[in-house]
Amino acid sequence: PQELCPRPQFIVDGATRTDICQGALGDCWLLAAIASLTLNETLLHRVVPHGQSFQQGYAGIFHFQIWQFGEWLDVVVDDFLPTKDGKLLFVHSAEGSEFWSALLEKAYAKVNGCYEALSGGSTSEGFEDFTGGVTEWFDLRRPPADLYQIILKALERGSLLGCSIDITSAFDMEAVTFKKLVKGHAYSVTGARQVQYRGQALELIRMRNPWGEVEWTGAWSDGSAEWHAVEPALRQQLMVKMEDGEFWMSFRDFLREFTRLEICNLTPDALQSRKFRKWNTQLYDGTWRRGSTAGGCRNYPATFWINPQFKIQLEEVDDDRDEDGGREPGCSFLLALMQKHRRRERRYGKDMETIGFAVYEVTWGHWASAGYVGRSGVHLKREFFLANASRARSEQFINLREVSTRFRLPPGEYIVVPSTFEPNKEGDFVLRVFSEKRAGTEEMDDKIQATLPDEKVLSESEIDENFKQLFKQLAGPHRVLPEHGQPHGRILCPWGVGGLGGHPGAPPSLTLPQKDGNGKLGLVEFNILWNRIRNYLSIFRKFDLDKSGS
């Protein structure tokens, strides 16, 4: 920064939305999240800690705090920033001497592997990584009747809001409409206000384009004629006259022009609720592995059951007085499934998997009497899922980092099955469970064990003649096999004899059965090892459901 301006500043007069102007990187989704962050000073100072400066105590490094999959990371970066022709290449402040936003972008790039990994994304990712909150989505083509009240309440509570216009093809990406809205581009929602216009209450909404320019030119835009009908003091307070990317529009136009709204709640309180609630939260780490725990969605009944399973015990119903009343008693909870580290793995050709989840009830009928209820560590088998439909599920399977859905179900015991859409798609994930009232949760899995047959040690006279011939062929004239290295250059079995015995990585049960300590295998010892390997191979084949050998 000292090479770009004589007196660089970290933050000048507090962080504002005009400190964030997009550069050459396609990370408008992240910058929209940062712009929303400036509206909540408490959140901002959690992510951008106080007391950092280019003057007092300057050491060439700055630190930021970013939430990742259940924990806050302290991310330290130096102040070298990418430039071109003497100007910052990526995010920059409008007036050029303020650098907190550029350094925050660098810290976020470090967490995700590189700047390139930040190209393209959903504003909800940035929202959650700056708050640890949970995001809910609204389809503006089918909005709830009270959406404007939901937005007002979200802004009051310090929730972060973003919106965008869906594209129908790659040619639409960042195409500018007739009234200067940008398709496939992330905007932040920064305000909402009702005004009296021609004797009627009119709902307005304020947004910001992270480019810092290119603004809506329709009704209620900067300098539009509609403002002349508003009371002068209010007009002076609300009207934005400069080209800074921020603008007002009517809520009716907002619903017509935009297609998606994201609201990141700092706690998952229902925005429609009139009362603040303290939610109970649980977080579980999980893994999908090919041939083991990556069973795909319900469309694949042969393997769906092998997915990880989590139990939720809903015990206490909601307080009816918190809501409008008139509903059946139920327990509110919210599930959020997030896949891990996918941006960081882009360099290896990976991207977001298509993910979702299903919820099954196990407290009724045959499955209750069969002993499934109240038991810990029981992984439900294929038969259960063939006989039962899901009680609830995520609204869709989608290739976003997180899928979240709010539910209200009767008290009981439920199993949550998170999965990728197709089987054998590998990845790590975090499942977050937010319950309004007390709820028990745990991961469901069978105890990992195998029953081995008793090991019978045969004398040389009891060993089959065909086996003796095999041993003689492999051992050669010395009639012993070396404990290390391959027998006469041959592979004996799928794993090979060589290297098992005494190797630090070998399973204890496959350590070669040495008796006299001479480092070699005789006929009896080789027979013991051979039988052990055959037993383990049969166990492996039993659990290798897709016959992949992995």
Side-chain angles (χ1 to χ4, degrees):
Q2 292 89 340
E3 298 173 12
L4 298 175
C5 63
R7 286 187 57 81
Q9 301 291 323
F10 186 63
I11 291 182
V12 179
D13 298 328
T16 63
R17 301 182 295 282
T18 57
D19 298 341
I20 305 147
C21 298
Q22 190 174 355
L25 189 60
D27 61 347
C28 60
W29 60 275
L30 175 64
L31 306 189
I34 297 175
S36 294
L37 192 63
T38 64
L39 300 175
N40 188 315
E41 197 168 326
T42 303
L43 288 180
L44 178 70
H45 291 148
R46 174 68 196 257
V47 175
V48 186
H50 269 308
Q52 303 189 80
S53 162
F54 282 98
Q55 286 77 39
Q56 187 176 357
Y58 172 69
I61 59 172
F62 294 86
H63 72 105
F64 302 87
Q65 296 215 324
I66 296 173
W67 184 90
Q68 287 284 282
F69 315 117
E71 61 179 339
W72 285 91
L73 306 180
D74 196 67
V75 184
V76 179
V77 293
D78 60 40
D79 60 353
F80 288 92
L81 295 167
T83 62
K84 183 179 181 181
D85 300 327
K87 296 181 179 179
L88 287 178
L89 187 58
F90 302 138
V91 72
H92 53 278
S93 64
E95 48 79 44
S97 63
E98 204 167 355
F99 290 93
W100 72 269
S101 56
L103 291 165
L104 175 56
E105 181 188 46
K106 179 174 181 176
Y108 199 79
K110 180 179 179 179
V111 167
N112 287 282
C114 61
Y115 277 106
E116 185 182 9
L118 305 186
S119 182
S122 165
T123 308
S124 60
E125 280 189 60
F127 284 164
E128 293 182 344
D129 289 344
F130 295 144
T131 65
V134 62
T135 301
E136 294 185 89
W137 301 71
F138 295 89
D139 183 349
L140 299 181
R141 290 162 295 195
R142 294 184 294 275
D146 57 346
L147 181 59
Y148 193 73
Q149 282 65 43
I150 290 173
I151 291 172
L152 285 173
K153 197 163 291 184
L155 290 167
E156 280 175 25
R157 293 184 179 181
S159 299
L160 306 185
L161 292 83
C163 58
S164 59
I165 303 170
D166 287 348
I167 59 173
T168 54
S169 71
F171 298 106
D172 279 348
M173 179 58 76
E174 297 198 339
V176 180
T177 68
F178 175 68
K179 292 187 177 178
K180 297 292 195 234
L181 293 176
V182 185
K183 293 183 178 181
H185 184 60
Y187 289 79
S188 32
V189 177
T190 61
R193 187 70 178 263
Q194 277 192 343
V195 298
Q196 287 298 317
Y197 179 67
R198 294 179 179 172
Q200 291 187 323
L202 182 72
E203 297 166 336
L204 299 181
I205 189 165
R206 186 179 67 198
M207 279 165 292
R208 185 173 186 277
N209 180 348
W211 287 351
E213 55 185 5
V214 187
E215 299 180 9
W216 162 254
T217 58
W220 299 99
S221 59
D222 295 4
S224 71
E226 287 79 8
W227 287 107
H228 298 304
V230 176
E231 189 234 340
L234 184 59
R235 180 172 70 236
Q236 182 70 24
Q237 178 188 346
L238 300 182
M239 194 170 168
V240 182
K241 295 182 180 178
M242 53 192 233
E243 178 77 3
D244 59 358
E246 194 164 58
F247 56 87
W248 290 91
M249 66 193 307
S250 72
F251 186 62
R252 184 181 300 172
D253 283 341
F254 170 74
L255 293 178
R256 183 166 55 240
E257 299 288 346
F258 287 85
T259 51
R260 186 167 64 178
L261 173 71
E262 306 162 46
I263 300 180
C264 180
N265 305 307
L266 307 188
T267 62
D269 294 355
L271 292 174
Q272 298 94 326
S273 174
R274 299 191 184 96
K275 178 180 174 183
F276 284 95
R277 301 191 185 101
K278 186 178 189 301
W279 285 67
N280 301 295
T281 62
Q282 290 287 338
L283 182 147
Y284 294 98
D285 292 295
T287 298
W288 294 299
R289 288 291 177 265
R290 178 184 176 88
S292 172
T293 57
C297 71
R298 182 66 186 262
N299 294 354
Y300 301 89
T303 55
F304 176 71
W305 69 274
I306 71 173
N307 285 302
Q309 299 174 13
F310 301 87
K311 181 173 80 173
I312 300 177
Q313 178 74 45
L314 301 177
E315 299 171 348
E316 299 179 23
V317 298
D318 301 345
D319 296 327
D320 287 339
R321 62 181 177 274
D322 288 353
E323 304 290 347
D324 297 331
R327 297 187 302 172
E328 289 293 320
C331 307
S332 292
F333 66 102
L334 186 146
L335 293 176
L337 174 65
M338 178 184 293
Q339 47 190 323
K340 288 182 167 184
H341 309 305
R342 303 306 292 191
R343 286 191 178 277
R344 192 185 300 172
E345 294 174 351
R346 275 188 182 178
R347 66 183 82 176
Y348 309 119
K350 297 181 180 179
D351 212 332
M352 299 292 180
E353 294 293 351
T354 301
I355 61 170
F357 52 80
V359 181
Y360 291 83
E361 186 175 8
V362 291
T363 48
W364 57 273
H366 164 73
W367 304 100
S369 60
Y372 281 100
V373 177
R375 292 178 61 188
S376 295
V378 179
H379 193 94
L380 298 182
K381 301 299 188 287
R382 177 182 174 184
E383 294 73 29
F384 175 87
F385 297 104
L386 290 176
N388 291 274
S390 60
R391 183 65 190 267
R393 58 184 181 272
S394 53
E395 292 178 0
Q396 56 191 335
F397 274 75
I398 193 168
N399 60 339
L400 292 174
R401 187 178 71 164
E402 184 175 67
V403 173
S404 66
T405 306
R406 185 185 300 272
F407 301 104
R408 193 170 187 269
L409 294 175
E413 200 167 287
Y414 299 87
I415 298 295
V416 181
V417 185
S419 71
T420 56
F421 185 76
E422 296 178 336
N424 297 319
K425 299 292 185 181
E426 297 198 332
D428 300 320
F429 66 85
V430 163
L431 179 70
R432 291 189 286 168
V433 183
F434 302 87
S435 55
E436 181 184 333
K437 294 287 189 175
R438 185 164 61 92
T441 59
E442 65 175 284
E443 184 170 2
M444 303 295 286
D445 207 353
D446 296 331
K447 186 176 179 181
I448 298 175
Q449 61 181 11
T451 303
L452 292 170
D454 293 335
E455 189 173 274
K456 185 177 181 182
V457 180
L458 303 177
S459 66
E460 287 199 22
S461 61
E462 295 175 300
I463 294 175
D464 180 79
E465 284 300 321
N466 290 331
F467 189 85
K468 289 180 180 178
Q469 288 299 320
L470 171 65
F471 178 74
K472 183 178 179 181
Q473 181 182 351
L474 294 167
H478 301 292
R479 298 189 61 78
V480 290
L481 286 171
E483 186 180 359
H484 296 282
Q486 293 180 9
H488 298 288
R490 299 187 183 189
I491 301 296
L492 183 63
C493 62
W495 294 279
V497 169
L500 284 176
H503 191 280
S509 50
L510 283 181
T511 301
L512 299 192
Q514 274 288 298
K515 291 188 175 182
D516 52 16
N518 65 359
K520 302 180 185 299
L521 291 181
L523 175 61
V524 172
E525 295 162 330
F526 177 57
N527 182 255
I528 294 171
L529 175 65
W530 183 269
N531 287 330
R532 285 183 186 177
I533 292 175
R534 286 180 61 190
N535 287 335
Y536 274 99
L537 183 58
S538 65
I539 292 169
F540 178 83
R541 285 174 173 161
K542 177 182 175 182
F543 289 96
D544 183 24
L545 301 175
D546 62 354
K547 308 295 187 256
S548 66
S550 62

